[in-house]
């Protein structure tokens, strides 16, 4: 004896109701396979604003009457796109918290160097320069300059991928799309002050020996990134 007919036809209204129940009770994952999860829920926040990070050191220096603020951060991001978005987010957060003529964010891998003198060259996974008045900064022709190393970091935290500089329109597009503007976690915030004064920074290395020779990147080195 057949308990159900071989062809069960349900009213259209019932089918619509069942479809709604399925979606609301956990079938959104299956739907996303066909439609695309980003199309339904939007892209994950980290795809827009970068990943979580930790502040390593913040250095404030006075250069010819200008305040330069440099922040070194660490993040675990195997994707160059995520690294530059993280650095841009932190640059924005830093500029909202501190007053300076030039802001610089240097992103290092979690396995990167611990010594400030080694935080240069291949140790840099992404770098951002920002100034509200770029005309006052030698070598800076636009408000933003941003570059990153493609590919994941090596075991020692160094990046050997090709260096890519973003165009200004690309930078503006990334910054405009960001909803998350949070800064990095700062372990020193509750304890010692991680900000080095100009006197401390000057004692470590003369301003004229910065750049690659002295261990720190200068705006003049990255002028092409804004074009």
């Amino acid at each position: 004896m057949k308990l159900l007919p071989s062809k069960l036809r349900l009213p259209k209204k019932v089918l619509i109701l069942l479809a709604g129940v399925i979606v609301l009770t956990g079938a959104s994952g299956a739907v996303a396979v066909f439609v695309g999860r980003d199309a339904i829920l939007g892209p994950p926040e980290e795809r827009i604003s970068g990943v979580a990070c930790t502040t390593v050191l913040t250095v404030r220096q006075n250069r010819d009457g200008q305040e330069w603020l440099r922040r070194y951060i660490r993040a675990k991001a195997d994707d160059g796109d995520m690294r530059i978005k993280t650095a841009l987010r932190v640059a924005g957060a830093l500029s909202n918290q501190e007053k300076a003529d030039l802001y610089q964010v240097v992103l290092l891998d979690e396995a990167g160097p611990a010594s400030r003198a080694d935080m240069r060259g291949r140790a840099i996974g992404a770098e951002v320069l920002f100034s509200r008045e770029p005309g006052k900064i030698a070598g800076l022709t636009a408000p933003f300059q941003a570059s990153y190393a493609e590919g994941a970091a090596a075991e020692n935290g160094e990046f050997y991928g090709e260096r890519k500089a973003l165009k200004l329109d690309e930078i503006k597009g990334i910054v405009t799309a960001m909803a998350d503007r949070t800064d990095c976690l700062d372990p020193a915030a509750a304890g010692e002050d991680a900000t080095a004064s100009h006197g401390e920074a000057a004692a470590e290395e003369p301003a004229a020996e910065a750049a690659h020779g002295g261990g720190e990147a200068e705006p003049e080195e990255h002028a092409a990134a804004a074009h």
Side-chain angles (χ1 to χ4, degrees), residues 56-197:
V56 178
L57 181 69
T58 302
V59 181
R60 185 183 292 275
Q61 293 177 302
N62 188 299
R63 298 286 183 89
D64 299 325
Q66 297 176 340
E67 288 287 335
W68 289 18
L69 197 60
R70 179 182 289 108
R71 174 165 290 179
Y72 297 90
I73 66 175
R74 293 191 193 280
K76 183 60 178 176
D78 294 333
D79 187 330
D81 183 56
M82 290 297 95
R83 288 194 293 273
I84 197 60
K85 287 179 178 178
T86 303
L88 282 168
R89 186 192 77 228
V90 174
L94 184 60
S95 68
N96 287 332
Q97 297 167 6
E98 303 280 352
K99 184 178 180 180
D101 297 290
L102 177 68
Y103 304 88
Q104 181 179 14
V105 174
V106 177
L107 185 146
L108 313 167
D109 185 69
E110 287 186 334
S115 171
R116 178 184 166 195
D118 296 326
M119 296 176 184
R120 58 176 179 170
R122 294 193 183 280
I124 299 177
E127 183 178 15
V128 170
L129 295 171
F130 170 67
S131 175
R132 292 185 176 87
E133 298 181 89
K136 293 183 177 181
I137 309 298
L140 198 64
T141 58
F144 279 102
Q145 289 183 7
S147 61
Y148 66 90
E150 295 183 325
E155 291 185 2
N156 62 355
E158 293 188 347
F159 296 87
Y160 293 90
E162 182 180 351
R163 298 275 165 172
K164 180 179 179 181
L166 273 64
K167 296 180 180 179
L168 185 58
D169 287 344
E170 293 178 300
I171 298 172
K172 288 180 177 180
I174 292 172
V175 174
T176 301
M178 285 184 183
D180 178 14
R181 306 279 179 163
T182 57
D183 199 352
C184 293
L185 174 66
D186 187 356
E192 296 182 9
D193 185 2
T195 302
S197 68

Side-chain angles (χ1 to χ4, degrees), residues 10 14-32 34:
L10 297 176
V14 176
L15 290 174
I16 294 174
L17 179 62
L18 287 174
V21 171
I22 291 173
V23 171
L24 293 175
T25 55
S28 58
V31 175
F34 297 99

